[in-house]
Amino acid sequence: MSEDTAPVLTIDGPSGAGKGAVSARVADALGWRVLDSGAVYRAVALAALDRDIAAEQREALIELSRDLPLEFRPGRDGIDVLLDGEPVGDRLRTEPVSVMASKVAAIPEVREALLDLQRGCRRAPGLVADGRDMGTVVFPDAPVKVFLEASVEERARRRYNQLKEKGEPVILARLFRDMQERDRRDRERSVAPTVPASDAIVIDSTVMGLDEVVATILERVRRCLDLPPERT
Ligand code: DC
């Protein structure tokens, strides 16, 4: 199987819908790799912040994304992200990086520049691609596409619990309002908006547990790709 024809399962959806956890579980069951495309945009953001490039410096951001010194390597807890040859660890998940990532992700030339890097992650036996535009733009030929959503109330509640667990100060009402605002920006942006591909199955994880979502997706992959049950 060549790289270009290895099967891809795309899992798109808004933040907090559970894409990361679902992707990891499904990939593990199938023995496939995961592409966390959010980490790619976060890496551009982190590299920009490290180099003192501001969100307004469009040309510099575009150039940076064309020449991004980014690598993904299998690590102890999944995939390690290396920027400039150094593992970035939790530096990708800070608030300044999140804010910058959403700004760089809105620049069409940045998105274009990152296409090859993302498509290069397609390898046998298969790839689970997690993001916003995996099924619509990056892997439009993927044989199985999922759009994972959950109500904004539920997503804000999950995020609230995560932050509380980390001991970070957080106000639920504010989190809810920010999430609504980000959702609107993501859905309505002109380039690669967060919408389901026309051939995606839409799964609402508001009332479904993680196990049920994973089982539903694995069953769909197995059926579509004619994989033996024991592999899933
Ligand atoms: O999923 P995440 O929070 O790690 O994504 C970080 C940012 O990148 C977020 O603003 C959405 C954006 N993103 C995107 O525009 N397209 C993708 N395929 C993945 C993420």
Side-chain angles (χ1 to χ4, degrees), residues 12-16 19 36-42 92-93 97-106 111 118 130-134 138 182 185-186 189 191-192 194:
D12 290 308
S15 57
K19 300 189 302 288
D36 172 4
S37 60
V40 176
Y41 290 95
R42 286 173 181 275
L92 278 192
R93 307 277 149 204
V97 168
S98 301
V99 172
M100 185 69 161
S102 76
K103 293 181 179 166
V104 301
R111 304 195 71 89
Q118 296 176 82
D130 159 345
R132 306 289 192 288
D133 61 343
M134 298 294 99
V138 183
R182 259 209 318 272
R185 247 203 332 262
D186 272 3
R189 73 179 172 208
V191 56
T194 306

Side-chain angles (χ1 to χ4, degrees), residues 15-16 151-157 159 174-184:
S15 57
S151 70
V152 62
E153 291 82 1
E154 175 63 14
R155 290 185 289 115
R157 199 185 56 75
R159 183 82 185 127
R174 175 143 180 224
L175 203 69
F176 179 76
R177 199 194 54 212
D178 289 352
M179 200 164 246
Q180 266 184 323
E181 179 58 24
R182 259 209 318 272
D183 280 0
R184 193 189 51 74

